[in-house]
Amino acid sequence: MLGTRLDTARIRAARRVIDPIFLDTPLYRCEALEPGLGCAVSIKLETANPVRSFKARGTEVVASLLADNASRAVVCASAGNLGQALAWSGRGRELDVTVVASRFATRAKLDRIRALGAGLELVDGDHEMARERAAAIARHDGIRLVEDSLDIETCEGAATIGLELMDTAPSFDTVLIALGGGALATGVGHVVKALAPEVEVICVQPLGAPALTHSFRRRRVVTTDSTNTIADGVAGRRPIPAVLDDLLLVADDAVLVQEASIIAGMRMLLDHAGLVVEPSAALGIAAILEDRDRFAGRHVVTIVCGSNVDVDAYHRWVGAAPLTRP
């Protein structure tokens, strides 16, 4: 009904092929966060699983289809979380998985990809260069290329989070979603708008990686030459046109947040929710911190989407002296 590439019936069917270990993740009101944020806050926790992010919901759908193919080889580009997820899903189905990543990606993510048995190729550049290299490998070897957010399976797998929100959440009026390539935002946004169109869907991106937010605001693809953010999981420069088309149909707004607010959000999630999260997972809290008046009196759901973080970097960010309130 929304006119997106996604299909609600396929999203419901995706639940049947996703390992239950990634489904029905915790969703709870976190009252300890609320005095500092000025609104009711519920957390959808996507980190309590073997790959510590939501990405395996999509790779489970991809891998279930590839398991029936004659060719069982697959390649993807990843900042780290998709690669781990595809490695995990592929290992369980005896797929030959190759992940291409920047050699500057978070070391803990790269180490985990190797540990899960995937081949790992590193490029001397950013994630966009990794995307180009992965596409070249797929063409040369004639194997499946998984393109996060472009491949509908990655979006519809992520969209199962939206089904769970609709099935189990108490009344809420806003959902805050980290915006990177767009799979999470378009997936969850599709379900929310299909089943509860009155709920406001707000996407959040770092000021240092604004390409898809700028694209959303201008209603055309806007690219950037570089990124500058600690939120490596959402640091893309070249939005995918089809993803932007979907985002324009399901999102009410897209906002940009400062690095200081992301760090403050990470610290709040540690201090008040006992959660160690990667920067991308704190974007929703950062958005509330930067605009308390907008969210005052609302019940907000934020998706804590990943916890794969370099320990030393985390201590540098969160262990510093408290930041002043934005």
Side-chain angles (χ1 to χ4, degrees):
M1 292 175 61
L2 292 170
T4 71
R5 297 176 300 143
L6 288 78
D7 179 81
T8 304
R10 283 201 309 262
I11 295 165
R12 294 189 185 280
R15 289 182 57 84
R16 297 194 289 271
V17 301
I18 297 172
D19 189 317
I21 201 167
F22 299 109
L23 297 174
D24 300 310
T25 52
L27 172 66
Y28 57 93
R29 175 99 173 257
C30 189
E31 294 184 16
L33 284 169
E34 295 173 4
L37 297 176
C39 61
V41 180
S42 288
I43 286 172
K44 180 63 167 167
L45 188 63
E46 290 295 309
T47 65
N49 63 57
V51 298
R52 289 160 50 173
S53 83
F54 75 95
K55 293 287 188 181
R57 292 181 184 251
T59 59
E60 284 287 281
V61 180
V62 171
S64 69
L65 296 173
L66 283 172
D68 296 328
N69 287 358
S71 173
R72 302 174 66 82
V74 60
V75 61
C76 75
S78 175
N81 285 348
L82 179 72
Q84 290 179 76
L86 188 59
W88 195 94
S89 297
R91 185 181 65 175
R93 295 170 176 84
E94 298 182 344
L95 304 181
D96 179 9
V97 177
T98 300
V99 178
V100 184
S102 167
R103 68 176 64 256
F104 307 109
T106 300
R107 182 174 297 277
K109 296 180 179 181
L110 300 180
D111 289 345
R112 185 60 179 155
I113 290 169
R114 294 187 184 98
L116 287 167
L120 180 63
E121 179 175 324
L122 302 179
V123 298
D124 290 315
D126 64 6
H127 179 63
E128 301 300 343
M129 184 175 291
R131 284 175 62 186
E132 293 172 1
R133 176 57 184 158
I137 291 172
R139 287 193 300 270
H140 182 270
D141 295 349
I143 62 175
R144 168 69 187 268
L145 171 66
V146 174
E147 293 193 75
D148 198 14
S149 304
L150 177 60
D151 286 11
I152 200 65
E153 298 95 337
T154 63
C155 302
E156 292 182 342
T160 59
I161 297 170
L163 292 179
E164 292 169 19
L165 289 178
M166 294 295 100
D167 288 345
T168 62
S171 176
F172 64 94
D173 46 43
T174 307
V175 59
L176 294 170
I177 310 174
L179 184 61
L184 183 63
T186 58
V188 174
H190 172 94
V191 173
V192 169
K193 287 303 182 183
L195 302 181
E198 72 282 0
V199 173
E200 188 173 24
V201 174
I202 302 175
C203 305
V204 190
Q205 203 163 34
L207 191 63
L212 193 46
T213 295
H214 287 333
S215 300
F216 176 84
R217 292 175 177 176
R218 299 177 193 177
R219 304 186 69 85
R220 62 176 178 82
V221 170
V222 176
T223 62
T224 61
D225 294 331
S226 61
T227 61
N228 182 22
T229 179
I230 62 171
D232 60 299
V234 294
R237 297 189 290 109
R238 301 175 190 167
I240 298 167
V243 176
L244 174 60
D245 290 343
D246 289 341
L247 193 68
L248 289 168
L249 291 170
V250 303
D252 295 294
D253 198 6
V255 300
L256 298 171
V257 295
Q258 301 176 54
E259 298 295 290
S261 300
I262 298 172
I263 294 171
M266 294 170 69
R267 185 176 294 126
M268 287 191 74
L269 286 166
L270 176 63
D271 291 345
H272 301 297
L275 297 175
V276 175
V277 305
E278 60 188 85
S280 302
L283 288 170
I285 301 299
I288 302 172
L289 286 171
E290 290 202 3
D291 199 352
R292 287 180 176 85
D293 290 344
R294 176 175 186 173
F295 299 102
R298 297 194 188 187
H299 184 176
V300 178
V301 171
T302 184
I303 301 169
V304 175
C305 54
S307 63
N308 290 296
V309 66
D310 179 82
V311 174
D312 291 336
Y314 184 84
H315 285 304
R316 287 197 303 272
W317 299 325
V318 177
L323 297 166
T324 57
R325 285 176 60 161

